[in-house]
């Protein structure tokens, strides 16, 4: 089913996304305007992009309706953004950016 497919894709993305935060893809000298192969992409982005590319290839191979393709990628991008944001809030620069006691204080105000 659609829900199961999205579940497995997000589970796979969850494992690949931290590499985006552990590297800086913008320090590479790669010209991003003419990148045809994933192997030419910076290492931190390759895993995530490979998942997106495989998903797109599969949707084309299965001739999935464009609305379902749009819904799938919309959810994958939402999941990626939320997951990366949560990871940033938890990790920060050694200490978490999000502090429960501060949130409670703000909530009481």
């Amino acid at each position: 089913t659609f829900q199961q497919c999205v579940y497995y894709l997000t589970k796979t993305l969850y494992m690949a996304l931290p590499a985006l935060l552990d590297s800086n893809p913008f320090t590479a000298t790669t010209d991003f305007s003419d990148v045809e192969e994933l192997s030419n992409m910076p290492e931190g982005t390759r895993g995530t992009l490979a998942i997106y590319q495989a998903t797109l290839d599969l949707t084309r191979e299965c001739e999935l309706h464009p609305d379902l393709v749009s819904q799938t990628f919309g959810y994958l991008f939402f999941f990626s953004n939320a997951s990366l944001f949560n990871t940033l809030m938890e990790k920060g620069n050694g200490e978490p950016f999000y502090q429960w006691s501060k949130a409670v204080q703000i909530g009481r105000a």
Side-chain angles (χ1 to χ4, degrees):
T1 67
F2 178 77
Q3 186 177 8
Q4 289 172 325
C5 291
V6 170
Y7 170 77
Y8 287 109
L9 287 169
T10 55
K11 191 173 180 180
T12 306
L13 270 174
Y14 185 77
M15 300 302 291
L17 287 171
L20 287 174
L21 297 177
D22 293 337
S23 65
N24 185 355
F26 302 108
T27 59
T29 57
T30 305
D31 179 17
F32 294 118
S33 63
D34 190 34
V35 175
E36 292 185 19
E37 292 190 26
L38 289 176
S39 61
N40 296 334
M41 295 300 293
E43 189 164 337
T45 60
R46 264 185 238 149
T48 302
L49 291 177
I51 294 166
Y52 290 141
Q53 185 65 54
T55 303
L56 182 61
D57 293 343
L58 187 60
T59 61
R60 288 179 177 164
E61 183 180 317
C62 294
E63 298 178 7
L64 204 60
H65 192 278
D67 290 343
L68 283 175
V69 175
S70 177
Q71 185 178 1
T72 301
F73 277 94
Y75 186 80
L76 293 179
F77 292 143
F78 169 79
F79 173 81
S80 297
N81 289 331
S83 181
L84 289 170
F85 178 78
N86 288 339
T87 301
L88 277 174
M89 288 288 115
E90 291 170 0
K91 279 170 82 171
N93 291 331
E95 294 181 22
F97 287 124
Y98 179 75
Q99 297 178 359
W100 179 254
S101 60
K102 201 59 146 165
V104 171
Q105 288 176 352
I106 293 170
R108 289 182 187 163

